[in-house]
PDB file of all heavy atoms in Angstrom:
ATOM      1  N   ASN S 373       5.973-193.545 154.694  1.00  0.00           N
ATOM      2  CA  ASN S 373       6.175-192.154 154.325  1.00  0.00           C
ATOM      3  C   ASN S 373       7.525-192.071 153.625  1.00  0.00           C
ATOM      4  O   ASN S 373       8.568-192.293 154.239  1.00  0.00           O
ATOM      5  CB  ASN S 373       6.163-191.256 155.568  1.00  0.00           C
ATOM      6  CG  ASN S 373       6.652-189.843 155.241  1.00  0.00           C
ATOM      7  OD1 ASN S 373       6.431-189.336 154.152  1.00  0.00           O
ATOM      8  ND2 ASN S 373       7.343-189.228 156.191  1.00  0.00           N
ATOM      9  N   LYS S 374       7.532-191.770 152.319  1.00  0.00           N
ATOM     10  CA  LYS S 374       8.769-191.766 151.543  1.00  0.00           C
ATOM     11  C   LYS S 374       9.439-190.408 151.497  1.00  0.00           C
ATOM     12  O   LYS S 374      10.507-190.263 150.912  1.00  0.00           O
ATOM     13  CB  LYS S 374       8.476-192.237 150.117  1.00  0.00           C
ATOM     14  CG  LYS S 374       7.959-193.668 150.039  1.00  0.00           C
ATOM     15  CD  LYS S 374       7.705-194.065 148.600  1.00  0.00           C
ATOM     16  CE  LYS S 374       7.192-195.486 148.518  1.00  0.00           C
ATOM     17  NZ  LYS S 374       6.918-195.901 147.112  1.00  0.00           N
ATOM     18  N   LYS S 375       8.800-189.392 152.105  1.00  0.00           N
ATOM     19  CA  LYS S 375       9.377-188.051 152.070  1.00  0.00           C
ATOM     20  C   LYS S 375      10.504-187.955 153.089  1.00  0.00           C
ATOM     21  O   LYS S 375      10.275-187.925 154.296  1.00  0.00           O
ATOM     22  CB  LYS S 375       8.305-187.003 152.374  1.00  0.00           C
ATOM     23  CG  LYS S 375       7.201-186.925 151.317  1.00  0.00           C
ATOM     24  CD  LYS S 375       6.181-185.860 151.675  1.00  0.00           C
ATOM     25  CE  LYS S 375       5.073-185.786 150.624  1.00  0.00           C
ATOM     26  NZ  LYS S 375       4.049-184.771 150.981  1.00  0.00           N
ATOM     27  N   SER S 376      11.722-187.910 152.598  1.00  0.00           N
ATOM     28  CA  SER S 376      12.873-187.856 153.502  1.00  0.00           C
ATOM     29  C   SER S 376      13.309-186.420 153.726  1.00  0.00           C
ATOM     30  O   SER S 376      13.182-185.570 152.859  1.00  0.00           O
ATOM     31  CB  SER S 376      14.041-188.663 152.918  1.00  0.00           C
ATOM     32  OG  SER S 376      14.421-188.134 151.672  1.00  0.00           O
ATOM     33  N   ASP S 377      13.824-186.176 154.909  1.00  0.00           N
ATOM     34  CA  ASP S 377      14.373-184.871 155.224  1.00  0.00           C
ATOM     35  C   ASP S 377      15.894-184.963 155.107  1.00  0.00           C
ATOM     36  O   ASP S 377      16.438-185.957 154.619  1.00  0.00           O
ATOM     37  CB  ASP S 377      13.952-184.446 156.632  1.00  0.00           C
ATOM     38  CG  ASP S 377      14.417-185.446 157.669  1.00  0.00           C
ATOM     39  OD1 ASP S 377      13.876-186.580 157.668  1.00  0.00           O
ATOM     40  OD2 ASP S 377      15.327-185.121 158.437  1.00  0.00           O
ATOM     41  N   GLU S 378      16.585-183.966 155.562  1.00  0.00           N
ATOM     42  CA  GLU S 378      18.043-183.916 155.403  1.00  0.00           C
ATOM     43  C   GLU S 378      18.728-185.131 156.002  1.00  0.00           C
ATOM     44  O   GLU S 378      19.682-185.665 155.441  1.00  0.00           O
ATOM     45  CB  GLU S 378      18.589-182.634 156.045  1.00  0.00           C
ATOM     46  CG  GLU S 378      20.101-182.478 155.873  1.00  0.00           C
ATOM     47  CD  GLU S 378      20.613-181.195 156.522  1.00  0.00           C
ATOM     48  OE1 GLU S 378      19.784-180.427 157.045  1.00  0.00           O
ATOM     49  OE2 GLU S 378      21.833-180.989 156.503  1.00  0.00           O
ATOM     50  N   PHE S 379      18.239-185.608 157.143  1.00  0.00           N
ATOM     51  CA  PHE S 379      18.881-186.734 157.822  1.00  0.00           C
ATOM     52  C   PHE S 379      18.036-188.007 157.759  1.00  0.00           C
ATOM     53  O   PHE S 379      18.277-188.946 158.518  1.00  0.00           O
ATOM     54  CB  PHE S 379      19.166-186.353 159.292  1.00  0.00           C
ATOM     55  CG  PHE S 379      20.060-185.152 159.437  1.00  0.00           C
ATOM     56  CD1 PHE S 379      19.532-183.915 159.786  1.00  0.00           C
ATOM     57  CD2 PHE S 379      21.419-185.253 159.189  1.00  0.00           C
ATOM     58  CE1 PHE S 379      20.352-182.810 159.923  1.00  0.00           C
ATOM     59  CE2 PHE S 379      22.249-184.148 159.319  1.00  0.00           C
ATOM     60  CZ  PHE S 379      21.713-182.923 159.682  1.00  0.00           C
ATOM     61  N   ASN S 380      17.038-188.044 156.882  1.00  0.00           N
ATOM     62  CA  ASN S 380      16.169-189.220 156.712  1.00  0.00           C
ATOM     63  C   ASN S 380      15.457-189.624 158.003  1.00  0.00           C
ATOM     64  O   ASN S 380      15.144-190.796 158.198  1.00  0.00           O
ATOM     65  CB  ASN S 380      16.967-190.412 156.179  1.00  0.00           C
ATOM     66  CG  ASN S 380      17.441-190.193 154.764  1.00  0.00           C
ATOM     67  OD1 ASN S 380      16.782-189.509 153.993  1.00  0.00           O
ATOM     68  ND2 ASN S 380      18.585-190.757 154.425  1.00  0.00           N
ATOM     69  N   GLU S 381      15.182-188.685 158.876  1.00  0.00           N
ATOM     70  CA  GLU S 381      14.569-189.010 160.159  1.00  0.00           C
ATOM     71  C   GLU S 381      13.067-189.248 160.041  1.00  0.00           C
ATOM     72  O   GLU S 381      12.453-189.776 160.967  1.00  0.00           O
ATOM     73  CB  GLU S 381      14.840-187.880 161.170  1.00  0.00           C
ATOM     74  CG  GLU S 381      16.315-187.775 161.558  1.00  0.00           C
ATOM     75  CD  GLU S 381      16.584-186.639 162.534  1.00  0.00           C
ATOM     76  OE1 GLU S 381      15.640-185.857 162.766  1.00  0.00           O
ATOM     77  OE2 GLU S 381      17.708-186.523 163.040  1.00  0.00           O
ATOM     78  N   ASN S 382      12.469-188.869 158.931  1.00  0.00           N
ATOM     79  CA  ASN S 382      11.015-189.010 158.792  1.00  0.00           C
ATOM     80  C   ASN S 382      10.603-190.205 157.950  1.00  0.00           C
ATOM     81  O   ASN S 382       9.420-190.417 157.709  1.00  0.00           O
ATOM     82  CB  ASN S 382      10.421-187.729 158.182  1.00  0.00           C
ATOM     83  CG  ASN S 382      10.520-186.550 159.139  1.00  0.00           C
ATOM     84  OD1 ASN S 382      10.378-186.721 160.339  1.00  0.00           O
ATOM     85  ND2 ASN S 382      10.772-185.374 158.591  1.00  0.00           N
ATOM     86  N   VAL S 383      11.573-190.987 157.462  1.00  0.00           N
ATOM     87  CA  VAL S 383      11.243-192.160 156.656  1.00  0.00           C
ATOM     88  C   VAL S 383      10.771-193.273 157.591  1.00  0.00           C
ATOM     89  O   VAL S 383      11.521-193.780 158.422  1.00  0.00           O
ATOM     90  CB  VAL S 383      12.466-192.642 155.850  1.00  0.00           C
ATOM     91  CG1 VAL S 383      12.118-193.914 155.073  1.00  0.00           C
ATOM     92  CG2 VAL S 383      12.937-191.548 154.904  1.00  0.00           C
ATOM     93  N   GLY S 384       9.502-193.620 157.484  1.00  0.00           N
ATOM     94  CA  GLY S 384       8.962-194.627 158.386  1.00  0.00           C
ATOM     95  C   GLY S 384       7.524-194.974 158.055  1.00  0.00           C
ATOM     96  O   GLY S 384       6.985-194.565 157.020  1.00  0.00           O
ATOM     97  N   TYR S 385       6.906-195.727 158.958  1.00  0.00           N
ATOM     98  CA  TYR S 385       5.566-196.270 158.737  1.00  0.00           C
ATOM     99  C   TYR S 385       4.583-195.719 159.762  1.00  0.00           C
ATOM    100  O   TYR S 385       4.868-195.720 160.970  1.00  0.00           O
ATOM    101  CB  TYR S 385       5.602-197.794 158.832  1.00  0.00           C
ATOM    102  CG  TYR S 385       6.476-198.429 157.784  1.00  0.00           C
ATOM    103  CD1 TYR S 385       7.843-198.583 157.992  1.00  0.00           C
ATOM    104  CD2 TYR S 385       5.939-198.850 156.571  1.00  0.00           C
ATOM    105  CE1 TYR S 385       8.654-199.150 157.025  1.00  0.00           C
ATOM    106  CE2 TYR S 385       6.744-199.429 155.598  1.00  0.00           C
ATOM    107  CZ  TYR S 385       8.097-199.570 155.830  1.00  0.00           C
ATOM    108  OH  TYR S 385       8.901-200.133 154.870  1.00  0.00           O
ATOM    109  N   SER S 386       3.438-195.257 159.272  1.00  0.00           N
ATOM    110  CA  SER S 386       2.392-194.722 160.133  1.00  0.00           C
ATOM    111  C   SER S 386       1.267-195.748 160.239  1.00  0.00           C
ATOM    112  O   SER S 386       0.756-196.222 159.218  1.00  0.00           O
ATOM    113  CB  SER S 386       1.869-193.406 159.567  1.00  0.00           C
ATOM    114  OG  SER S 386       0.849-192.881 160.387  1.00  0.00           O
ATOM    115  N   ILE S 387       0.873-196.077 161.483  1.00  0.00           N
ATOM    116  CA  ILE S 387      -0.162-197.084 161.724  1.00  0.00           C
ATOM    117  C   ILE S 387      -1.257-196.479 162.596  1.00  0.00           C
ATOM    118  O   ILE S 387      -0.993-196.086 163.734  1.00  0.00           O
ATOM    119  CB  ILE S 387       0.424-198.317 162.426  1.00  0.00           C
ATOM    120  CG1 ILE S 387       1.672-198.813 161.703  1.00  0.00           C
ATOM    121  CG2 ILE S 387      -0.619-199.433 162.521  1.00  0.00           C
ATOM    122  CD1 ILE S 387       2.427-199.894 162.461  1.00  0.00           C
ATOM    123  N   PRO S 388      -2.491-196.405 162.116  1.00  0.00           N
ATOM    124  CA  PRO S 388      -3.603-195.908 162.939  1.00  0.00           C
ATOM    125  C   PRO S 388      -4.076-196.996 163.898  1.00  0.00           C
ATOM    126  O   PRO S 388      -4.555-198.043 163.478  1.00  0.00           O
ATOM    127  CB  PRO S 388      -4.684-195.566 161.909  1.00  0.00           C
ATOM    128  CG  PRO S 388      -4.382-196.434 160.727  1.00  0.00           C
ATOM    129  CD  PRO S 388      -2.908-196.691 160.730  1.00  0.00           C
ATOM    130  N   ILE S 389      -3.953-196.768 165.194  1.00  0.00           N
ATOM    131  CA  ILE S 389      -4.261-197.816 166.176  1.00  0.00           C
ATOM    132  C   ILE S 389      -5.236-197.338 167.254  1.00  0.00           C
ATOM    133  O   ILE S 389      -5.316-197.928 168.342  1.00  0.00           O
ATOM    134  CB  ILE S 389      -2.967-198.348 166.846  1.00  0.00           C
ATOM    135  CG1 ILE S 389      -2.210-197.212 167.561  1.00  0.00           C
ATOM    136  CG2 ILE S 389      -2.068-199.030 165.831  1.00  0.00           C
ATOM    137  CD1 ILE S 389      -1.049-197.714 168.416  1.00  0.00           C
ATOM    138  N   GLY S 390      -6.005-196.290 166.985  1.00  0.00           N
ATOM    139  CA  GLY S 390      -6.931-195.766 167.987  1.00  0.00           C
ATOM    140  C   GLY S 390      -7.973-196.789 168.419  1.00  0.00           C
ATOM    141  O   GLY S 390      -8.244-196.950 169.618  1.00  0.00           O
ATOM    142  N   TYR S 391      -8.576-197.484 167.475  1.00  0.00           N
ATOM    143  CA  TYR S 391      -9.609-198.477 167.796  1.00  0.00           C
ATOM    144  C   TYR S 391      -9.026-199.618 168.628  1.00  0.00           C
ATOM    145  O   TYR S 391      -9.633-200.075 169.596  1.00  0.00           O
ATOM    146  CB  TYR S 391     -10.208-199.004 166.499  1.00  0.00           C
ATOM    147  CG  TYR S 391     -11.291-200.038 166.682  1.00  0.00           C
ATOM    148  CD1 TYR S 391     -12.489-199.717 167.317  1.00  0.00           C
ATOM    149  CD2 TYR S 391     -11.127-201.338 166.206  1.00  0.00           C
ATOM    150  CE1 TYR S 391     -13.496-200.667 167.484  1.00  0.00           C
ATOM    151  CE2 TYR S 391     -12.120-202.289 166.365  1.00  0.00           C
ATOM    152  CZ  TYR S 391     -13.302-201.954 167.008  1.00  0.00           C
ATOM    153  OH  TYR S 391     -14.289-202.896 167.169  1.00  0.00           O
ATOM    154  N   PHE S 392      -7.820-200.055 168.269  1.00  0.00           N
ATOM    155  CA  PHE S 392      -7.152-201.125 169.014  1.00  0.00           C
ATOM    156  C   PHE S 392      -6.863-200.688 170.458  1.00  0.00           C
ATOM    157  O   PHE S 392      -7.143-201.425 171.418  1.00  0.00           O
ATOM    158  CB  PHE S 392      -5.852-201.515 168.314  1.00  0.00           C
ATOM    159  CG  PHE S 392      -4.954-202.400 169.128  1.00  0.00           C
ATOM    160  CD1 PHE S 392      -5.218-203.759 169.254  1.00  0.00           C
ATOM    161  CD2 PHE S 392      -3.837-201.877 169.785  1.00  0.00           C
ATOM    162  CE1 PHE S 392      -4.394-204.582 170.009  1.00  0.00           C
ATOM    163  CE2 PHE S 392      -3.001-202.692 170.533  1.00  0.00           C
ATOM    164  CZ  PHE S 392      -3.284-204.039 170.655  1.00  0.00           C
ATOM    165  N   LEU S 393      -6.306-199.489 170.630  1.00  0.00           N
ATOM    166  CA  LEU S 393      -5.957-199.032 171.978  1.00  0.00           C
ATOM    167  C   LEU S 393      -7.203-198.782 172.830  1.00  0.00           C
ATOM    168  O   LEU S 393      -7.185-199.013 174.046  1.00  0.00           O
ATOM    169  CB  LEU S 393      -5.114-197.759 171.901  1.00  0.00           C
ATOM    170  CG  LEU S 393      -3.696-197.922 171.364  1.00  0.00           C
ATOM    171  CD1 LEU S 393      -2.953-196.591 171.421  1.00  0.00           C
ATOM    172  CD2 LEU S 393      -2.925-198.988 172.131  1.00  0.00           C
ATOM    173  N   GLN S 394      -8.299-198.296 172.221  1.00  0.00           N
ATOM    174  CA  GLN S 394      -9.532-198.093 172.967  1.00  0.00           C
ATOM    175  C   GLN S 394     -10.024-199.419 173.551  1.00  0.00           C
ATOM    176  O   GLN S 394     -10.425-199.494 174.722  1.00  0.00           O
ATOM    177  CB  GLN S 394     -10.592-197.477 172.052  1.00  0.00           C
ATOM    178  CG  GLN S 394     -11.995-197.415 172.624  1.00  0.00           C
ATOM    179  CD  GLN S 394     -12.151-196.402 173.762  1.00  0.00           C
ATOM    180  OE1 GLN S 394     -11.225-195.659 174.074  1.00  0.00           O
ATOM    181  NE2 GLN S 394     -13.314-196.380 174.381  1.00  0.00           N
ATOM    182  N   LYS S 395      -9.995-200.478 172.751  1.00  0.00           N
ATOM    183  CA  LYS S 395     -10.419-201.795 173.241  1.00  0.00           C
ATOM    184  C   LYS S 395      -9.484-202.314 174.329  1.00  0.00           C
ATOM    185  O   LYS S 395      -9.937-202.907 175.314  1.00  0.00           O
ATOM    186  CB  LYS S 395     -10.481-202.792 172.081  1.00  0.00           C
ATOM    187  CG  LYS S 395     -11.602-202.529 171.096  1.00  0.00           C
ATOM    188  CD  LYS S 395     -11.899-203.761 170.251  1.00  0.00           C
ATOM    189  CE  LYS S 395     -10.673-204.220 169.496  1.00  0.00           C
ATOM    190  NZ  LYS S 395     -10.956-205.414 168.673  1.00  0.00           N
ATOM    191  N   GLU S 396      -8.196-202.081 174.163  1.00  0.00           N
ATOM    192  CA  GLU S 396      -7.235-202.524 175.175  1.00  0.00           C
ATOM    193  C   GLU S 396      -7.443-201.771 176.489  1.00  0.00           C
ATOM    194  O   GLU S 396      -7.348-202.351 177.572  1.00  0.00           O
ATOM    195  CB  GLU S 396      -5.804-202.307 174.671  1.00  0.00           C
ATOM    196  CG  GLU S 396      -5.362-203.273 173.596  1.00  0.00           C
ATOM    197  CD  GLU S 396      -5.299-204.698 174.096  1.00  0.00           C
ATOM    198  OE1 GLU S 396      -4.498-204.997 174.994  1.00  0.00           O
ATOM    199  OE2 GLU S 396      -6.082-205.543 173.594  1.00  0.00           O
ATOM    200  N   MET S 397      -7.727-200.499 176.412  1.00  0.00           N
ATOM    201  CA  MET S 397      -7.931-199.686 177.612  1.00  0.00           C
ATOM    202  C   MET S 397      -9.158-200.153 178.397  1.00  0.00           C
ATOM    203  O   MET S 397      -9.166-200.145 179.633  1.00  0.00           O
ATOM    204  CB  MET S 397      -8.078-198.214 177.215  1.00  0.00           C
ATOM    205  CG  MET S 397      -8.242-197.261 178.394  1.00  0.00           C
ATOM    206  SD  MET S 397      -8.505-195.541 177.886  1.00  0.00           S
ATOM    207  CE  MET S 397     -10.187-195.628 177.233  1.00  0.00           C
ATOM    208  N   LEU S 398     -10.204-200.584 177.687  1.00  0.00           N
ATOM    209  CA  LEU S 398     -11.459-200.954 178.340  1.00  0.00           C
ATOM    210  C   LEU S 398     -11.534-202.420 178.751  1.00  0.00           C
ATOM    211  O   LEU S 398     -12.549-202.837 179.315  1.00  0.00           O
ATOM    212  CB  LEU S 398     -12.632-200.629 177.397  1.00  0.00           C
ATOM    213  CG  LEU S 398     -12.829-199.147 177.059  1.00  0.00           C
ATOM    214  CD1 LEU S 398     -14.003-198.971 176.116  1.00  0.00           C
ATOM    215  CD2 LEU S 398     -13.007-198.305 178.318  1.00  0.00           C
ATOM    216  N   LYS S 399     -10.512-203.206 178.469  1.00  0.00           N
ATOM    217  CA  LYS S 399     -10.542-204.623 178.831  1.00  0.00           C
ATOM    218  C   LYS S 399     -10.737-204.802 180.328  1.00  0.00           C
ATOM    219  O   LYS S 399     -10.111-204.100 181.140  1.00  0.00           O
ATOM    220  CB  LYS S 399      -9.238-205.310 178.401  1.00  0.00           C
ATOM    221  CG  LYS S 399      -9.247-205.854 176.994  1.00  0.00           C
ATOM    222  CD  LYS S 399      -7.965-206.631 176.726  1.00  0.00           C
ATOM    223  CE  LYS S 399      -7.969-207.238 175.335  1.00  0.00           C
ATOM    224  NZ  LYS S 399      -6.688-207.948 175.052  1.00  0.00           N
ATOM    225  N   GLN S 400     -11.585-205.753 180.687  1.00  0.00           N
ATOM    226  CA  GLN S 400     -11.812-206.039 182.104  1.00  0.00           C
ATOM    227  C   GLN S 400     -10.683-206.881 182.690  1.00  0.00           C
ATOM    228  O   GLN S 400     -10.333-206.750 183.852  1.00  0.00           O
ATOM    229  CB  GLN S 400     -13.148-206.777 182.281  1.00  0.00           C
ATOM    230  CG  GLN S 400     -14.359-205.950 181.878  1.00  0.00           C
ATOM    231  CD  GLN S 400     -14.481-204.673 182.694  1.00  0.00           C
ATOM    232  OE1 GLN S 400     -14.366-204.679 183.926  1.00  0.00           O
ATOM    233  NE2 GLN S 400     -14.710-203.554 182.001  1.00  0.00           N
TER     234      GLN S 400
END
Side-chain angles (χ1 to χ4, degrees):
N373 168 33
K374 297 180 180 179
K375 295 180 180 179
S376 60
D377 59 291
E378 182 180 357
F379 301 104
N380 292 329
E381 292 179 352
N382 292 324
V383 177
Y385 298 86
S386 180
I387 310 171
I389 59 171
Y391 180 64
F392 168 78
L393 290 183
Q394 170 70 5
K395 290 198 302 180
E396 287 295 297
M397 182 183 72
L398 296 179
K399 272 186 178 178
Q400 296 300 313

